[in-house]
Amino acid sequence: MSQETPIARKQYFTPFNVITGVILVIGLVLTVLRFTKGIGAVTNLDNNNPWGLWIGFDLLCGVALAAGGYMTSSACYIFGLKKYHSAVRPAILTAFLGYALVVFALHYDVGRPWRLPYPIFWSQGTSSLLFEVGLCVFLYLTVLFIEWTPAAFEWLGFKKIRGVVVRLTLVLTIFGVVLSTLHQSSLGALFMIAPSKLHPLWYSGYLHVYFFISSMFAGLSMVIFEGTLAHRWLHHKMDDTHLAESDGVVLGFGRAASFIMMGYVGIKIIGMAVDNEWHYLTTGWGAWFLVELVGFVLLPAILFSMGAREKNLTFIRVAAVWAVLGIVLNRLNVSLIAFNWHLPAADRYVPSIMEVGTTIFIVTLGVVVYRFIALKMPILHEHPDYKEAH
Amino acid sequence: MEFFTLHDFMTYSKGITYLIMGGILVFMPLYWLYLTERDDD
């Protein structure tokens, strides 16, 4: 017994557990503060800036980066690219947790969590884009939950109900694509109500198209990035099939991301041409816009293409992280940085340390839950009882 | 470039837009070929 205790202690007090434990405790304290003292006690939000980091990052980036779910499942089940099958479960899990945390994070911003079902069941604002976003996220979260359940049922040994859910795969994938098309674009369309507040270089009549197209390469990049992390930290949970297919997933997704990103750069230029905004490019805001478009879309697209041509996985993995950062920058530009751009510096919004802390808490929560599920359930490997099922 | 009527503006901006669209239509298939040309190696 005297030898067992240090081993058990060693397993519990790993660097990962200690760091995440501290973040989660701080997050819980911030949660209590938010829901007992009100939103003003923990945020720098005001009447000029009613949407802050929790919307800009937790919601907009969360939804965009969770797009890997519909991208991977549609590639595999609709376009028949079965060579990406091993990437479907990790992507669905990431998307499910991503959307669940988006809804979780929204509570911090909106407050009164018991009123969450109201917009769906009691008081529908059918002329509002926010209602459409809410309805789609509600439905898509349900779809993702159902798509994720076969892994849980295999883990629990519920063969019969697992078989029923697996037969729904194609219809769920179609629902997922339709719902994602609707709400990914609607999140961009939300900002079309504020042409006088959003800088003209970011404001466009095509804002909804930009959000949808960028969500595609955000999802692909996120699947590559998340796969890289899984290889580093959860390698022992991957079976031979997963390991054999993973290089093909990185190469294929990298190539697709590069192509979509080039198309995205093209439609951004078209957007500038339609509104004749060329003269803004010579201003400071123009330089910042070019940092985003060239530095965080065009350059990673080129790196993706070099990686795909040279079969260089490192190039593609670096480009994936780069593209993910680019998506975060784009969403923060639209919702925070280029929003209210004309206001004097004193009235501009800068998130409080407690807002940043809450965001880190929510991201950490996602990582912890993902790790728990990936360690317990057949996410990165096939369950031995169902090897023939794929 | 100075515009005096909406028609002036639309003629100019749409003209540029169509030229860019044409360029993209040519560029994107070529870019796909560039991405995939080494597949058979």
Side-chain angles (χ1 to χ4, degrees), chain A residues 283-299:
Chain A
T283 65
W285 284 105
W288 184 238
F289 178 79
L290 290 174
V291 166
E292 181 198 309
L293 192 63
V294 177
F296 285 89
V297 184
L298 186 62
L299 293 182

Side-chain angles (χ1 to χ4, degrees), chain A residues 66-230:
Chain A
Y70 83 84
M71 287 301 289
T72 313
S73 56
S74 59
C76 183
Y77 298 122
I78 296 178
F79 297 109
L81 301 169
K82 296 291 180 192
K83 59 184 175 178
Y84 301 136
H85 185 265
S86 63
V88 172
R89 278 199 179 176
I92 292 289
L93 175 60
T94 311
F96 169 53
L97 292 178
Y99 275 85
L101 290 172
V102 162
V103 175
F104 181 68
L106 197 60
H107 287 309
Y108 286 76
D109 207 77
V110 177
R112 296 198 280 182
W114 57 92
R115 289 228 169 193
L116 184 68
Y118 271 51
I120 311 295
F121 297 108
W122 272 271
S123 175
Q124 298 87 353
T126 48
S127 60
S128 163
L129 274 170
L130 267 181
F131 169 71
E132 196 248 316
V133 171
L135 184 65
C136 281
V137 170
F138 162 70
L139 292 172
Y140 189 42
L141 183 58
T142 310
V143 165
L144 283 168
F145 172 73
I146 300 170
E147 282 186 295
W148 164 77
T149 52
F153 291 145
E154 287 175 15
W155 179 54
L156 294 167
F158 297 166
K159 285 192 176 181
K160 221 170 188 177
I161 189 160
R162 182 240 176 232
V164 174
V165 177
V166 165
R167 281 205 295 278
L168 295 172
T169 299
L170 182 62
V171 74
L172 289 173
T173 303
I174 294 168
F175 276 166
V177 173
V178 171
L179 293 168
S180 294
T181 310
L182 289 167
H183 72 268
Q184 292 281 3
S185 54
S186 297
L187 283 173
L190 282 178
F191 292 90
M192 288 167 68
I193 202 171
S196 60
K197 292 185 178 180
L198 185 56
H199 190 281
L201 282 172
W202 282 272
Y203 183 86
S204 166
Y206 299 120
L207 206 47
H208 52 298
V209 182
Y210 297 158
F211 265 56
F212 177 57
I213 303 289
S214 59
S215 82
M216 291 183 190
F217 66 77
L220 293 169
S221 304
M222 196 61 194
V223 170
I224 297 169
F225 175 52
E226 167 219 313
T228 309
L229 295 181

